[in-house]
Amino acid sequence: MTNLRIGHGYDVHRLVEDRALVLGGVEIPWKLGLLGHSDADVLTHAVMDALSGAARLGDIGKLFPDTDPAYKGISSMKLLARVGSLLQEKGFAVVNIDATLLAQAPKVGPYRAEMENRIAAALDMDPERVNVKATTEEGLGFTGDSSGMAAHAVVLLEKVN
Ligand code: MG
């Protein structure tokens, strides 16, 4: 039996005025930001859900309920680090992460490397094993008309002890 575990995560947040836009732990200057109980970092949430799924920890809604005032406005990087600790406790190491942001605007290319570095740092892993990419959806749907952003992530874990 293999010691590898795959996980998938998906998340959506609405875009609104007067909110910071935080993606992969990086604050990006933009006229709109993502709405949510935490900092609403949709990319990091998809990554956390993928990690939780692979380790059979359920999902981030179960780990960090949005009814809990402790998580109001919290940086998702802190939550990601907590997921990393839970993985360690269960004996898992992260092999790699591949995440895709679905957003019409702004262009996030200049911030990709920093997002990869921050995600890797929160999980205490090599940034060479973290990939962040982005796509528009050709103006179609809720991501295309900028009413929201979505993100997908897949991860591979290895049971090391
Ligand atoms: Mg979310």
Side-chain angles (χ1 to χ4, degrees):
M1 185 62 84
T2 177
N3 286 326
L4 298 174
R5 300 284 185 276
I6 192 170
H8 168 259
Y10 174 69
D11 195 30
V12 170
H13 282 267
R14 188 180 291 275
L15 277 166
V16 295
E17 291 178 350
D18 302 318
R19 283 274 298 188
L21 176 61
V22 181
L23 295 168
V26 181
E27 189 165 336
I28 295 172
W30 183 236
K31 60 188 175 182
L32 302 172
L34 294 166
L35 183 64
H37 185 67
S38 65
D39 64 2
D41 182 341
V42 67
L43 187 77
T44 301
H45 290 186
V47 169
M48 287 194 285
D49 253 352
L51 294 167
S52 308
R56 206 164 181 275
L57 289 164
D59 59 42
I60 58 169
K62 182 179 140 196
L63 294 173
F64 312 114
D66 66 5
T67 49
D68 188 334
Y71 304 125
K72 187 165 167 50
I74 196 169
S75 165
S76 296
M77 286 293 117
K78 284 190 182 162
L79 302 179
L80 181 60
R82 279 193 221 174
V83 171
S85 302
L86 292 170
L87 294 179
Q88 238 178 5
E89 281 170 27
K90 289 195 84 169
F92 286 109
V94 184
V95 178
N96 75 304
I97 295 172
D98 186 20
T100 306
L101 177 75
L102 281 55
Q104 196 63 33
K107 291 277 174 234
V108 297
Y111 305 99
R112 278 180 43 196
E114 185 60 20
M115 292 182 207
E116 290 165 353
N117 287 339
R118 293 206 185 181
I119 290 167
L123 292 167
D124 197 20
M125 65 183 285
D126 184 350
E128 289 294 315
R129 292 165 178 262
V130 179
N131 191 73
V132 170
K133 55 199 187 297
T135 182
T136 71
E137 289 197 287
E138 302 291 339
L140 298 168
F142 72 86
T143 57
D145 69 11
S146 289
S147 47
M149 288 185 178
H152 292 271
V154 288
V155 304
L156 195 64
L157 302 185
E158 183 175 14
K159 190 97 162 80
V160 288
N161 52 54

